Amino acid sequence: MRKNSFLHRNKGESLRPVEEDTIVLYGTTWCGMTQVVKRYLDRNEISYKYLDLEEDVATVNQLRWITGGYTSHPTIVINGQVLIEPDIDELSSALSRNGYL
């Protein structure tokens, strides 16, 4: 069975797939909830990729593809599950279901 994957790129890299077993956080530096989510993941020592929507148009386009056309942030992808603007309880629940907490 093939894993689902999303395409992403870090600044200066070409597009490449992000495997299901990766946590990806899409956000901005000025978004308060994005910063809350980052601190929560950091405090719980959970590894994740942070993709800043202000740095790359391709990242914005990728987020729009994932969310059905929206640039909602924070958006978190956990093992292929997409959480759009989750509160901390929703995030905690998803992390627990996926074995991160």
Side-chain angles (χ1 to χ4, degrees):
M1 178 186 250
R2 185 174 170 227
K3 284 185 169 184
N4 289 331
S5 62
F6 301 103
L7 295 178
H8 104 274
R9 92 169 112 189
N10 289 326
K11 197 171 186 178
E13 294 180 348
S14 58
L15 285 174
R16 63 180 184 187
V18 174
E19 296 301 322
E20 273 189 26
D21 57 355
T22 302
I23 296 174
V24 180
L25 169 59
Y26 295 86
T28 62
T29 57
W30 52 265
C31 174
M33 195 58 196
T34 296
Q35 300 312 310
V36 167
V37 168
K38 284 178 73 173
R39 283 192 301 274
Y40 180 82
L41 293 170
D42 291 342
R43 259 188 307 227
N44 286 286
E45 299 179 352
I46 298 171
S47 296
Y48 62 96
K49 288 189 181 286
Y50 173 68
L51 298 178
D52 191 327
L53 297 170
E54 295 176 304
E55 286 190 13
D56 191 4
V57 173
T59 299
V60 173
N61 290 336
Q62 178 183 342
L63 178 61
R64 285 185 176 146
W65 182 82
I66 291 168
T67 63
Y70 300 98
T71 56
S72 303
H73 49 86
T75 294
I76 303 121
V77 180
I78 303 172
N79 294 342
Q81 176 187 5
V82 178
L83 304 173
I84 300 171
E85 298 180 11
D87 61 30
I88 292 300
D89 289 337
E90 292 170 307
L91 176 59
S92 178
S93 178
L95 291 168
S96 292
R97 280 193 310 274
N98 286 280
Y100 291 99
L101 290 178

